[in-house]
Amino acid sequence: MKLQYLIQQHQSELSELDRGILNYILSNGDTVLSMGIVELSEQVHVSKSSILRLTKKLGFSGYSEFKYFLRHQQEQITTISQQKTIFEKQQEDIFATLNYVKTVDLAVLNRLFDRSKTIYCYPTGFSQKKALEEFSKMMLSMEKRVIVLPNKTEFDMVMPMITAEDCVIIASLSGETENVKENLTTFAIRQIPVLTLSAPGDNYFARHSTFHLTYYCDFFQIGRKKIPSQSLIGLSCLIDYLIRSYGLFTLQEGNHD
C-alpha cells in the first residue's frame, strides 16, 4: 500500500498542518528515511507530538512503525522500478492516466467549458505548454475561445479581465508552483472556476482549485549518465481525453437541437 493511498483514505481527518508535514515527506522521501522524529519536526517546524498524532491518524502505532512502512514502500518501488523497461513505464503512464480519467464524471467539466466565454490556460512549464496548445487548437475547431498564456507576466496582466463567466486551466507537474498560489487565492475570492492538472499527490493546486485532475508520469533513466527523467505523455493523454469528451458532449447536444 502506498502512502498516497493512505492519505486519500484518511483525507477527511487531516488538518492543514498534517498536509504540510505529508507534503514534505512525499517531496523528500529518501531524506526522511534517515531522520529521527526530532530532526523531522525541526525540518517541518512542528512539534514531535504533531508528527505522532499524524502517524496515528494514518493507522500506525507511532513514528517507528511509520518509518518502517516508508522504508518497505521504498524498497518495493525500487525493486519494481528496476524490473520495468523504459517502454513499460511509458505504457504504464498512459494506461494509468486513461484508467483514472475513465472513473471521473466529466459532465460537469463539459458543461463548464460549454458555458465559458473564454477558457484561459496557463502552463507552468514547456511540456505543459505544448499540451495546452493542442487543447487550444482542438477546442477552437469546436468554436470555443481558448487562450494559452505563455508566461507568468502575461498571466498576471490578464487576471483583471478574467470573470466568473470564464474558466481557467492550470497545468503543472508538482502542483506546488509557488508563484501561482497567489493567483489561485484571487480566483477563489472572485469565484472564478479553476481546473488544475498535476501528477498524483496531495498538492496545493489539488486542494485550492475548483476541479482537479491527475496524470501519471513515472521516473526513468536516460543517457550514459543515467539521468532521472519524466515524460508528460500522461498529460497529453489526459488533455486528449478532455477534448474527446467535450467533442462527444457537443455532438450529442447538437443532435438534440
Side-chain angles (χ1 to χ4, degrees):
M1 184 184 294
K2 289 186 177 180
L3 179 57
Q4 288 92 331
Y5 180 71
L6 280 179
I7 293 170
Q8 277 189 324
Q9 265 192 327
H10 299 276
Q11 191 86 250
S12 60
E13 304 165 47
L14 302 176
S15 65
E16 281 298 314
L17 184 64
D18 294 331
R19 294 176 194 279
I21 298 168
L22 287 167
N23 184 52
Y24 180 86
I25 292 169
L26 288 169
S27 303
N28 302 274
D30 292 338
T31 309
V32 171
L33 288 177
S34 63
M35 287 183 181
I37 191 169
V38 174
E39 192 178 353
L40 178 59
S41 67
E42 288 172 353
Q43 287 295 321
V44 294
H45 309 294
V46 301
S47 65
K48 288 196 311 180
S49 57
S50 295
I51 295 173
L52 282 172
R53 279 195 296 271
L54 170 59
T55 61
K56 288 179 179 177
K57 284 181 185 178
L58 296 174
F60 300 100
S61 60
Y63 184 68
S64 296
E65 188 181 4
F66 177 63
K67 264 188 68 174
Y68 174 81
F69 167 83
L70 291 179
R71 189 173 291 108
H72 181 63
Q73 175 185 262
Q74 187 60 40
E75 287 169 357
Q76 283 184 318
I77 290 170
T78 302
T79 302
I80 292 168
S81 182
Q82 288 171 345
Q83 291 171 350
K84 291 178 187 172
T85 70
I86 196 169
F87 297 108
E88 286 171 334
K89 289 188 176 186
Q90 178 195 53
Q91 290 177 342
E92 191 170 87
D93 284 347
I94 294 169
F95 293 145
T97 300
L98 292 178
N99 288 335
Y100 157 76
V101 76
K102 284 176 187 176
T103 67
V104 178
D105 183 4
L106 296 178
V108 64
L109 288 177
N110 289 329
R111 290 193 293 270
L112 172 65
F113 294 157
D114 207 49
R115 69 172 180 262
S116 295
K117 287 187 175 179
T118 303
I119 302 172
Y120 292 90
C121 299
Y122 178 66
T124 61
F126 180 79
S127 297
Q128 293 92 328
K129 182 172 177 283
K130 290 297 179 186
L132 288 177
E133 284 175 345
E134 180 66 16
F135 177 77
S136 173
K137 182 187 77 176
M138 295 300 290
M139 293 295 276
L140 283 171
S141 70
M142 291 181 275
E143 302 178 332
K144 286 309 302 181
R145 186 167 181 255
V146 178
I147 297 175
V148 179
L149 303 163
N151 54 59
K152 183 62 164 59
T153 302
E154 291 194 24
F155 189 23
D156 290 340
M157 285 174 62
V158 84
M159 287 285 290
M161 304 178 212
I162 304 174
T163 73
E165 294 183 323
D166 305 314
C167 74
V168 179
I169 300 175
I170 302 174
S172 170
L173 178 58
S174 66
E176 294 286 346
T177 310
E178 198 62 38
N179 66 357
V180 181
K181 293 179 181 180
E182 59 185 357
N183 300 83
L184 286 172
T185 301
T186 302
F187 288 137
I189 292 169
R190 295 179 56 203
Q191 298 185 319
I192 293 169
V194 179
L195 165 65
T196 55
L197 314 173
S198 76
D202 179 38
N203 58 66
Y204 187 92
F205 285 14
R207 299 194 305 271
H208 293 86
S209 54
T210 322
F211 308 100
H212 177 74
L213 294 174
T214 290
Y215 61 92
Y216 288 79
C217 48
D218 196 7
F219 281 95
F220 58 93
Q221 293 179 328
I222 56 172
R224 292 183 177 87
K225 294 183 179 179
K226 297 182 179 179
I227 299 167
S229 303
Q230 280 176 294
S231 164
L232 298 197
I233 193 169
L235 174 60
S236 296
C237 290
L238 176 59
I239 291 287
D240 188 71
Y241 200 98
L242 290 176
I243 293 165
R244 290 168 188 261
S245 177
Y246 182 68
L248 182 60
F249 171 84
T250 53
L251 187 65
Q252 292 171 340
E253 287 291 302
N255 289 338
H256 293 156
D257 292 342

